[in-house]
Amino acid sequence: KADVNLKERTLTARRPKTRHVRVAYLWERTVKAIEEYQNERPNNGSESLFVSGHGSPMSGETLRQRFMAIRKRAKLPKTVTLEGLRDAAYTVAESVDSHHAKFIAGHKTGMSDKYVLRQATNQRVKECCEAIETHFFARKENQ
């Protein structure tokens, strides 16, 4: 919970794999979904934003299993993976601004962590995040 500021629509956290800082400007749909989730499933004082059915912090494995179940219900092929979605999002962000895309991905930037942590509301970071949303959620004209 400490990494997410719903009022400012920001995420500022360390990437577990590399310990590099990752930032994002959250989509309005994401903020709304988190608020609905919190209303439906109060975390009973947990420091974690997302918890398992038992109330413990949700693990990466639990998230992966839930994704696979949703993918199956949506009748998407097994080639659709969390890793593939992450890589596609990075590619989209990189096409907008290759420097600020690194902040979103939690890649090494050569800047101090303190500076990177302040970048979630940077206009270029916002533009990268908006481009990712448009890529995945914009309706095609002929649909």
Side-chain angles (χ1 to χ4, degrees):
K1 289 180 186 177
D3 298 334
V4 176
N5 183 324
L6 296 178
K7 183 178 177 185
E8 292 186 18
R9 294 177 53 186
T10 60
L11 165 77
T12 56
R14 288 201 178 277
R15 186 174 174 203
K17 179 179 176 180
T18 63
R19 301 300 300 152
H20 292 300
V21 174
R22 170 184 280 160
V23 300
Y25 187 73
L26 302 174
W27 309 327
E28 187 60 40
R29 72 176 70 227
T30 302
V31 171
K32 184 179 177 184
I34 291 171
E35 289 172 341
E36 288 174 3
Y37 172 82
Q38 288 179 325
N39 288 335
E40 292 171 10
R41 299 188 72 176
N43 295 348
N44 299 326
S46 172
E47 292 181 19
S48 296
L49 182 60
F50 299 105
V51 296
S52 69
H54 304 298
S56 59
M58 190 177 290
S59 69
E61 179 58 22
T62 302
L63 178 63
R64 188 184 72 76
Q65 289 174 3
R66 289 196 179 175
F67 176 81
M68 289 172 28
I70 291 167
R71 179 182 65 196
K72 186 175 182 178
R73 281 194 310 248
K75 296 184 170 104
L76 294 172
K78 289 182 179 180
T79 55
V80 176
T81 63
L82 284 172
E83 296 82 6
L85 293 173
R86 180 197 63 223
D87 291 348
Y90 180 67
T91 299
V92 170
E94 198 173 39
S95 73
V96 173
D97 187 307
S98 60
H99 176 66
H100 287 89
K102 291 177 185 175
F103 297 174
I104 295 166
H107 291 174
K108 189 172 185 177
T109 64
M111 297 180 171
S112 77
D113 289 356
K114 187 175 183 180
Y115 176 76
V116 176
L117 282 167
R118 296 191 305 251
Q119 295 301 304
T121 56
N122 177 289
Q123 186 59 36
R124 297 303 287 173
V125 169
K126 288 181 180 181
E127 291 169 6
C128 289
C129 293
E130 289 166 0
I132 294 166
E133 181 180 28
T134 299
H135 177 79
F136 286 109
F137 295 102
R139 295 185 186 270
K140 306 286 186 218
E141 284 185 35
N142 298 329
Q143 289 184 341

